[in-house]
Amino acid sequence: MEAEPFPELKIKPADFLNKLDGRSKCSKCDRSRKFYCYTCYLPVPEIKGRVPKVKLPIKVDIIKHPSEVDGKSTAVHAGVLAPDDVTIYTYPCIPDYDKDKVVVVFPCETSVSVDQLVRRDTNNPSKCESGLKRAAPSNDEQTDLIPNKIAKVDYVGNDEKRCSNGKPENTASGNGLCQNATSSVESDAQKANCLIERVVFIDSTWNQCKSICNDERLKGLQCVELKSEKTKFWRHQKNNPATYLSTIEAIYYFMREFHQQFVDQAYTAQYDNLLFFFNFMYKKIRNLYDGGDNLKAYKSEQFLI
């Protein structure tokens, strides 16, 4: 394990987390927690205001496998650090998605890269190609054009948004229920010249995630794959390549690529703090395990390539 897993990133120092004495009660549910509550997605009261808050350019839904241990899941980091833009569901609770405006980050035979997300037709701003290029269109295939209209989705108000199984679900924002309202204010996604409104991530082991991805409610969503980054995650992934990222890593790298492709301003570390807790825990594990070089996750052949 390297001393600095992300030396080029501007991540807020987290040394103050080491000064926390024991566990604390969550300000919302009163459960005993360390650093943050993985049920309410809140930092413990002692560090409230010191944990960075990240604004994302596109809304994020995380579908968590029920067997995934909340206290070990890096998906919770996103809920704590970007509460206005991240909603976490527990499978089988899945929203009903508009398949033209939502993508799922998952490697498969038909997945595309982030830079294949279609941009606005610059010759006619009133028209926009449909959300994504398909995996392998023929040379003479024409992509349908649809109006360029993106609604900003916030999680405010008092109306419960229910999953397709009829049950309300906890969310990383609002008052604990997945709620929604429409605003005429331009979102970063609108400014991004891209029709995609929301991106879905699956939070589970790689062996478990197939059952979620094969769910009928996710079928038809275009898959997006992140191929160029290697994970720094300390949990061993048997028989999987190092390009299979942890959930928070996948969210971070997707946001970086999405910003670079679609947001009309230079990237200035806006999303680096998504890795705030991940970076801290990586270093903590490295210290606990004498440099971490003997951890199974870093001895696998995939990491030696």
Side-chain angles (χ1 to χ4, degrees):
M1 298 176 74
E2 305 105 315
E4 291 291 337
F6 309 106
E8 73 284 3
L9 304 189
K10 296 179 181 179
I11 301 174
K12 181 178 179 178
D15 295 340
F16 65 90
L17 295 179
N18 287 316
K19 298 179 181 178
L20 286 176
D21 186 16
R23 300 169 71 85
S24 305
K25 283 188 177 181
C26 170
S27 59
K28 188 173 183 179
C29 69
D30 284 336
R31 294 184 177 94
S32 177
R33 298 291 189 244
K34 183 76 171 179
F35 305 132
Y36 53 79
C37 179
Y38 46 77
T39 304
C40 305
Y41 314 116
L42 295 172
V44 295
E46 289 84 346
I47 59 173
K48 183 180 179 181
R50 303 187 69 183
V51 173
K53 185 176 180 180
V54 182
K55 175 64 179 173
L56 303 180
I58 185 172
K59 297 297 182 181
V60 170
D61 281 359
I62 299 172
I63 312 298
K64 185 177 71 69
H65 194 281
S67 298
E68 188 71 10
V69 179
D70 289 338
K72 295 182 178 180
S73 170
T74 66
V76 177
H77 300 179
V80 177
L81 297 167
D84 294 338
D85 299 309
V86 174
T87 308
I88 300 176
Y89 301 91
T90 299
Y91 187 78
C93 184
I94 297 178
D96 293 320
Y97 290 123
D98 182 337
K99 292 179 171 55
D100 290 327
K101 299 179 181 179
V102 180
V103 297
V104 57
V105 174
F106 187 77
C108 66
E109 292 181 358
T110 59
S111 60
V112 298
S113 60
V114 176
D115 62 6
Q116 288 176 294
L117 297 177
V118 176
R119 295 170 180 269
R120 178 184 297 165
D121 181 355
T122 55
N123 294 322
N124 189 345
S126 67
K127 297 192 297 182
C128 185
E129 292 182 345
S130 59
L132 292 167
K133 288 179 180 176
R134 279 169 283 183
S138 61
N139 292 333
D140 58 352
E141 185 176 4
Q142 295 292 325
T143 306
D144 293 336
L145 301 177
I146 61 178
N148 178 35
K149 181 180 180 181
I150 297 180
K152 179 183 177 184
V153 180
D154 291 326
Y155 292 92
V156 296
N158 297 315
D159 295 328
E160 294 180 8
K161 176 183 177 183
R162 295 181 178 270
C163 305
S164 52
N165 66 0
K167 297 179 180 179
E169 177 60 26
N170 287 338
T171 174
S173 55
N175 63 2
L177 292 175
C178 178
Q179 303 166 339
N180 69 88
T182 305
S183 171
S184 60
V185 179
E186 272 198 338
S187 68
D188 287 343
Q190 284 174 295
K191 298 173 185 176
N193 299 336
C194 179
L195 273 181
I196 303 306
E197 294 178 354
R198 190 171 298 266
V199 56
V200 177
F201 295 85
I202 309 300
D203 184 52
S204 72
T205 65
W206 285 99
N207 290 332
Q208 295 169 334
C209 65
K210 291 181 180 179
S211 62
I212 298 179
C213 290
N214 288 331
D215 191 285
E216 289 295 329
R217 292 165 293 179
L218 293 181
K219 283 187 177 180
L221 294 183
Q222 174 65 61
C223 290
V224 177
E225 185 171 359
L226 305 169
K227 300 179 180 180
S228 60
E229 306 295 341
K230 288 188 176 182
T231 184
K232 305 287 185 178
F233 200 24
W234 46 89
R235 284 173 66 179
H236 178 56
Q237 303 182 74
K238 186 177 180 180
N239 299 325
N240 289 321
T243 52
Y244 280 27
L245 306 171
S246 68
T247 303
I248 194 62
E249 289 175 297
I251 294 172
Y252 168 72
Y253 287 119
F254 178 91
M255 295 302 157
R256 279 288 303 264
E257 292 193 34
F258 184 90
H259 185 102
Q260 291 164 356
Q261 292 293 330
F262 299 107
V263 178
D264 293 331
Q265 58 178 285
Y267 183 71
T268 54
Q270 291 96 322
Y271 322 125
D272 287 9
N273 277 321
L274 282 173
L275 296 170
F276 173 77
F277 287 117
F278 186 98
N279 187 53
F280 169 76
M281 292 177 180
Y282 176 99
K283 293 179 179 180
K284 197 171 187 67
I285 287 171
R286 185 178 185 273
N287 290 333
L288 287 173
Y289 290 92
D290 299 321
D293 292 336
N294 290 321
L295 285 175
K296 198 171 184 179
Y298 301 101
K299 293 178 70 175
S300 62
E301 293 182 3
Q302 292 93 330
F303 281 87
L304 302 177
I305 296 176

